[in-house]
Amino acid sequence: MLTVTGAFDDGATYTVQITGRTDRPVIGSYRASALVELHLGETIDLSPTGPMKAVIGEDKESVLAVLRHYTTAIEESGSAPSQARLPGS
């Protein structure tokens, strides 16, 4: 399971686990869970240079991309999908 600690724009912090389950893609923070559910079915860049992918609950990579895009992901631990990061992203 992948654990992500981050912060929203207003400074509120969260720690969640990305489950890979359709019914509960994220557990641990009601607000982060609601954010992911809001974007289910949308297309998102998996990294600053792509590729794009639909956000679905059982796809940990797309759920993580939502958290990285809409919040500041401070720490990620566990079985994280690997991706290249650009400086400053």
Side-chain angles (χ1 to χ4, degrees):
M1 200 169 304
L2 173 62
T3 301
V4 179
T5 300
F8 294 98
D9 289 343
D10 64 1
T13 60
Y14 67 87
T15 298
V16 296
Q17 292 181 333
I18 299 176
T19 65
R21 293 174 29 198
T22 302
D23 60 332
R24 291 190 69 191
V26 174
I27 56 174
S29 164
Y30 175 77
R31 190 170 170 189
S33 179
L35 175 69
V36 170
E37 289 180 20
L38 178 68
H39 294 286
L40 287 175
E42 293 180 3
T43 304
I44 192 162
D45 285 319
L46 296 181
S47 72
T49 58
M52 296 188 75
K53 194 173 200 182
V55 179
I56 54 175
E58 60 269 9
D59 181 11
K60 292 180 180 182
E61 192 174 41
S62 66
V63 171
L64 178 58
V66 169
L67 294 174
R68 286 176 174 163
H69 185 77
Y70 293 101
T71 71
T72 302
I74 300 167
E75 182 178 344
E76 301 166 14
S77 61
S79 56
S82 60
Q83 77 171 246
R85 287 195 176 214
L86 298 177
S89 64

